Amino acid sequence: MTDQLLPVDAYLVESLPEIWFGAVLFALGMYVVLDGFDFGIGMLYAIRTDEREREAFLAAFGPIWDANEVWIVAFGTMLLAAFPRVYSRLLADNYLLALGFVVALVFRGLGPELREQRDDERWKRYTDYAFIGGSVFAPLLLGMLAGRWLFGGATLPVALTGVGLVAVSILTGAAFLAAKTEPGLAAELRTYGIGATLAYLGGVVVLLGTVVLTDAGGAADAVLSLPVAAVVALSVAVGLGGSVLARRGRYRAWLVSALALPTLLTILVAILLYPTIYPPTGLLVREAVVSPLALNLVTVLGFPVLLLVLWYFKFLYGVFSGPIESEGYGE
C-alpha cells in the first residue's frame, strides 16, 4: 500500500531533486529579503539620536522581526531534510561563521527586548549597542558564509559578499522605513538608501570581476554566462529605477524595487551553484539529495506546511501594512 502511495525507487516527479534545490534557495531568499530590512533598520538606528525616532524605528519592525526568522529555520530544516551531506559539510567547514551569525542574531534580538525593561540612559545605551552590533554583524557573517559556500576560501570574494549583504540590507531597511514614516524623515532616509544602492551595485560588479580574474571557486565560467549577465543587468536596472522612484517620493514602489534586489541576489546564488550544490566539494544536486522514498515522504509532509507558512506571512504583513502608529517596540 505504501509503495503505491509513495514510490520507493523513483521520485514523485522526475525533477523533484531540482525542485527541492529551488525550495531551499527560496527559503534562504525569503530570509534575506525579510530579515534583511530588519537588519537595515538596526543599522540606520545607529545614525539617529532623537529618542522619538528611535522608538519609531523599533515600532516599525517590533511586531514582525521574530516571525521573519522562521525562514532561516526553514532554510536549515529543508537543507537538512533534502541534502543532509551538504548541511553537515557546510556547517562543519564554516563553523565559526555560523556560530558568529547565531550570536549576532541573539544580540540583535535581545537589544530591543531588554531596552524596554529599564528606564535608565546607561542601560538603554548598552542595549542599543547590542541591537546595532547584531544588526551589522548578522548580515555580514551570513554573507561571508554564503561567499564561502560559493567560492570556497577565496578571501576577497568572501569579504565582498558579506559587505554586499550589509549594503542591500541598509537599502531595504531605508525603503521599508520610508514607506512607513512621515515625509520629512522619509526624505532623509532615501539619501541613505540611494547611497546603499550604488554601493551594492558597485560591489556586485567588483565581486564578479574579481571572481573572473581569480577564478575563485572555479566560478569564472559561470559568472561569464548569459543568465548571470541577465541577472546583473536586471539588478542594475531595478536599483537605478528604484532610486528614481525614491527621489519622486514614491516610497511604496521604491520598497518593492528594493526588495527585488536581494531576490535577484538569491537567484544569482542559485545560478552560480547549479548543477552543483556545494562547489568546494564538487557535490551535484542529484548526488547530494536523499533517497527517492525519503524525498517523496518529506515532500508530502513538508510542502503543505510551507504553503501554510506562506499564507500566514501574507496575513501578518497585511495586518501591519500601514504606517507606524505607535512609538514603542512591540506595541
Side-chain angles (χ1 to χ4, degrees):
M1 183 67 179
T2 302
D3 291 351
Q4 293 174 343
L5 293 175
L6 292 174
V8 174
D9 54 2
Y11 299 114
L12 288 171
V13 294
E14 177 58 26
S15 59
L16 196 58
E18 287 77 18
I19 292 173
W20 269 92
F21 172 76
V24 168
L25 269 295
F26 172 77
L28 178 62
M30 287 292 288
Y31 179 71
V32 171
V33 169
L34 297 180
D35 223 14
F37 68 71
D38 293 344
F39 296 142
I41 292 172
M43 288 183 270
L44 292 166
Y45 181 92
I47 62 175
R48 313 309 300 181
T49 56
D50 182 86
E51 183 66 16
R52 187 181 61 84
E53 290 181 350
R54 284 192 159 191
E55 289 289 343
F57 278 26
L58 293 176
F61 91 119
I64 52 176
W65 72 269
D66 48 353
N68 292 338
E69 293 191 347
V70 164
W71 290 104
I72 193 66
V73 176
F75 164 71
T77 303
M78 294 166 75
L79 186 63
L80 174 62
F83 305 100
R85 281 194 290 169
V86 178
Y87 179 89
S88 61
R89 283 296 303 269
L90 194 61
L91 285 184
D93 293 348
N94 304 284
Y95 178 77
L96 290 179
L97 281 175
L99 181 62
F101 168 67
V102 172
V103 171
L105 279 186
V106 170
F107 274 85
R108 191 282 301 267
L110 283 179
E113 294 281 356
L114 294 178
R115 190 180 200 272
E116 303 299 310
Q117 305 306 314
R118 290 174 55 181
D119 189 17
D120 176 86
E121 288 303 317
R122 178 179 293 183
W123 174 261
K124 287 186 176 181
R125 186 164 63 250
Y126 288 143
T127 55
D128 285 347
Y129 291 156
F131 175 50
I132 295 165
S135 298
V136 173
F137 281 101
L140 177 67
L141 296 177
L142 180 62
M144 293 177 67
L145 201 159
R148 283 183 58 85
W149 187 1
L150 287 168
F151 308 120
T155 303
L156 184 57
V158 168
L160 287 171
T161 307
V163 174
L165 197 56
V166 169
V168 80
S169 296
I170 294 174
L171 162 62
T172 55
F176 183 80
L177 287 171
K180 295 178 76 70
T181 55
E182 49 89 15
L185 180 57
E188 187 176 343
L189 288 167
R190 75 184 178 196
T191 302
Y192 297 107
I194 291 172
T197 302
L198 298 177
Y200 170 71
L201 294 176
V204 168
V205 172
V206 172
L207 167 63
L208 296 181
T210 302
V211 172
V212 170
L213 292 175
T214 62
D215 194 22
D221 290 341
V223 168
L224 293 172
S225 66
L226 183 59
V228 169
V231 171
V232 172
L234 187 57
S235 297
V236 172
V238 168
L240 296 180
S243 298
V244 172
L245 292 170
R247 288 191 179 280
R248 294 178 177 176
R250 297 178 59 186
Y251 296 125
R252 283 191 172 272
W254 180 34
L255 175 60
V256 172
S257 69
L259 296 179
L261 284 181
T263 304
L264 289 168
L265 177 63
T266 308
I267 293 172
L268 184 62
V269 169
I271 293 172
L272 292 176
L273 282 175
Y274 191 79
T276 62
I277 189 169
Y278 191 17
T281 65
L283 277 174
L284 301 176
V285 169
R286 284 187 173 262
E287 293 173 342
V289 75
V290 294
S291 68
L293 177 61
L295 196 64
N296 292 340
L297 185 61
V298 295
T299 301
V300 171
L301 296 176
F303 271 46
V305 176
L306 180 62
L307 294 176
L308 183 63
V309 171
L310 287 171
W311 174 85
Y312 169 72
F313 269 78
K314 182 177 182 297
F315 171 77
L316 178 68
Y317 275 83
V319 170
F320 295 104
S321 61
I324 302 170
E325 294 180 349
S326 64
E327 295 183 353
Y329 173 74
E331 296 179 1

